[in-house]
Amino acid sequence: MNPPPPEFWTEVISPRLAQLARLTDAVAVAVIVCRRGTTPATTNYKGHSIETRYYSDEETEEFLSALRSIGLTVFPFYREDDFIRWVLDGRGDIGSRRLLAYSSGASVPGVGAKALLPAFCLLHGIDVIGPDPHVASLARHKFHALALLQSSGVPVPPTYLFVPGTGWLDGRRPRPGTNVIVKPSHEAASIGVDALSLLTSDQHLDAAVADRAQIFQQPMTVQEFVRGREIEVPVFVFGRCHTPLAVGLTMAGQEDLGARFLDYETVATDNYGFYRYAAYGPDVPLFSHAARAAAVLGIRDFGRIDFRIDETGLPWAIDVSTSPYICRHSSFAFAANACGGESDQLPLALLAACCERVGLLVS
């Protein structure tokens, strides 16, 4: 396979990082991080803690240190309420500097949680790094996001919605005999995905899905399961969507996962690896699908589109992330290193994307 385009990091990222280093007196960054052992989960799921999508102490320090490395003023917060009070009390008034806010996630599970801080920032005139409130909420509803992608020409496996107390949306249910994977519609980081999530569409399916919906108190997105490889495509948005590398996931050293998938325990323990899946090129459908998905959903700054590659080599979009992990153990870090950059620069690249979008950097 050919390497990704070497000009991506040198021509797209590096010049923007150089410009960003000259903005240290013009901006400051509030970083609201859900941190394991520090940020309390307001409510939680039994056996599937939302803390699996929190940052570890090491990941938190990596992110903050990267921003501070060029002399930026950074205000860290580990509870959403602390940031909100800081703003409401007037302590967020930092004079002539422009305040930007980054949120790693939410300490509340379920519907709309990811949109709370972006909406608060919008109300108070604070620029948000990453998704706006609409996109944050839209993308966190798996069925809605995937339905939108499918209607826009992005290939998506047949996908269904099971609503607690109502049943299958519009009476549409998986074809008998097909294998399906069942996921909570409003969660990320494989929360709610385990060995009981892979089912067969038979006479027992409705009861099994209803039980999962009751446990997680939300609609369940049910998708025909695609055997094969799992691929993440990092998306860098600098004016347009850049997709420099497709990153494959390995489990137990295997690239073709077959019937395996990223479940809660695997994600919580980082028990998976990465490899370069495909060469870059406009004729590779995977990249055009990822860029289209990001554009259709309105992803800003950084995003990630996840695919399964079936046994014939066809890609199927299965999930999206509007605030993807960019720590050292992530597909973003793998892509940065493979493209000639450094994973430690990713928080700065993310900030640069936001600064360009709001007019602080000139492309």
Side-chain angles (χ1 to χ4, degrees):
M1 291 183 181
N2 296 322
E7 68 273 10
F8 172 71
W9 202 268
T10 58
E11 295 186 7
V12 176
I13 302 296
S14 296
R16 289 168 168 89
L17 295 185
Q19 287 190 63
L20 183 67
R22 298 193 288 270
L23 288 179
T24 55
D25 293 330
V27 301
V29 185
V31 178
I32 306 96
V33 177
C34 289
R35 183 175 179 174
R36 294 173 200 158
T38 302
T39 307
T42 307
T43 56
N44 219 329
Y45 304 119
K46 184 178 180 181
H48 284 243
S49 173
I50 64 172
E51 289 194 16
T52 192
R53 53 179 165 85
Y54 285 13
Y55 278 28
S56 67
D57 290 346
E58 181 180 5
E59 290 165 347
T60 301
E61 188 54 38
E62 284 177 14
F63 194 94
L64 297 176
S65 295
L67 296 178
R68 289 170 174 153
S69 68
I70 63 169
L72 284 167
T73 298
V74 181
F75 301 99
F77 301 90
Y78 305 115
R79 300 170 185 240
E80 293 102 320
D81 285 349
D82 290 345
F83 169 70
I84 291 171
R85 292 191 186 98
W86 183 74
V87 173
L88 295 179
D89 290 346
R91 287 173 287 166
D93 184 355
I94 55 175
S96 62
R97 283 178 299 174
R98 189 162 176 174
L99 181 65
L100 308 175
Y102 171 77
S103 172
S104 70
S107 64
V108 183
V111 62
K114 191 67 181 297
L116 294 176
L117 277 182
F120 174 81
C121 290
L122 177 65
L123 179 64
H124 292 276
I126 300 170
D127 291 307
V128 174
I129 302 167
D132 63 35
H134 169 68
V135 173
S137 195
L138 169 65
R140 188 51 69 84
H141 193 305
K142 297 182 189 300
F143 180 81
H144 290 170
L146 291 171
L148 182 57
L149 294 187
Q150 186 175 39
S151 70
S152 302
V154 177
V156 173
T159 304
Y160 311 87
L161 186 68
F162 187 94
V163 182
T166 301
W168 299 102
L169 179 66
D170 293 334
R172 293 183 61 250
R173 68 186 313 282
R175 295 172 298 145
T178 56
N179 292 326
V180 297
I181 187 164
V182 182
K183 304 175 183 179
S185 293
H186 298 295
E187 273 304 339
S190 292
I191 293 168
V193 180
D194 55 26
L196 299 177
S197 299
L198 190 59
L199 301 169
T200 300
S201 179
D202 56 19
Q203 68 272 26
H204 305 295
L205 179 64
D206 288 23
V209 177
D211 183 59
R212 303 293 282 182
Q214 177 62 33
I215 291 172
F216 294 99
Q217 291 294 295
Q218 61 187 281
M220 304 303 288
T221 296
V222 181
Q223 200 171 63
E224 286 196 13
F225 182 70
V226 178
R227 291 179 57 94
R229 300 171 185 263
E230 188 148 335
I231 308 298
E232 296 183 352
V233 180
V235 178
F236 300 77
V237 185
F238 290 97
R240 66 177 180 85
C241 298
H242 298 266
T243 55
L245 195 73
V247 181
L249 304 183
T250 64
M251 296 176 63
Q254 296 297 310
E255 296 180 357
D256 189 336
L257 303 186
R260 290 173 295 180
F261 52 91
L262 287 183
D263 59 14
Y264 173 81
E265 183 178 356
T266 300
V267 171
T269 58
D270 287 341
N271 193 21
Y272 56 96
F274 305 101
Y275 67 98
R276 182 182 298 166
Y277 171 66
Y280 181 86
D283 58 338
V284 178
L286 186 65
F287 295 104
S288 59
H289 292 326
R292 180 164 183 78
V296 166
L297 293 175
I299 287 177
R300 307 191 312 190
D301 306 336
F302 281 11
R304 197 189 70 232
I305 314 299
D306 299 343
F307 296 86
R308 293 284 291 200
I309 309 296
D310 69 20
E311 294 169 336
T312 70
L314 292 177
W316 300 89
I318 60 168
D319 208 349
V320 300
S321 175
T322 59
S323 297
Y325 276 124
I326 58 175
C327 60
R328 291 181 184 177
H329 187 76
S330 69
S331 55
F332 261 85
F334 183 91
N337 292 329
C339 291
E342 297 178 11
S343 60
D344 291 349
Q345 295 176 312
L346 284 169
L348 292 171
L350 173 62
L351 176 59
C354 175
C355 287
E356 180 173 307
R357 173 170 49 81
V358 302
L360 291 170
L361 289 184
V362 179
S363 60

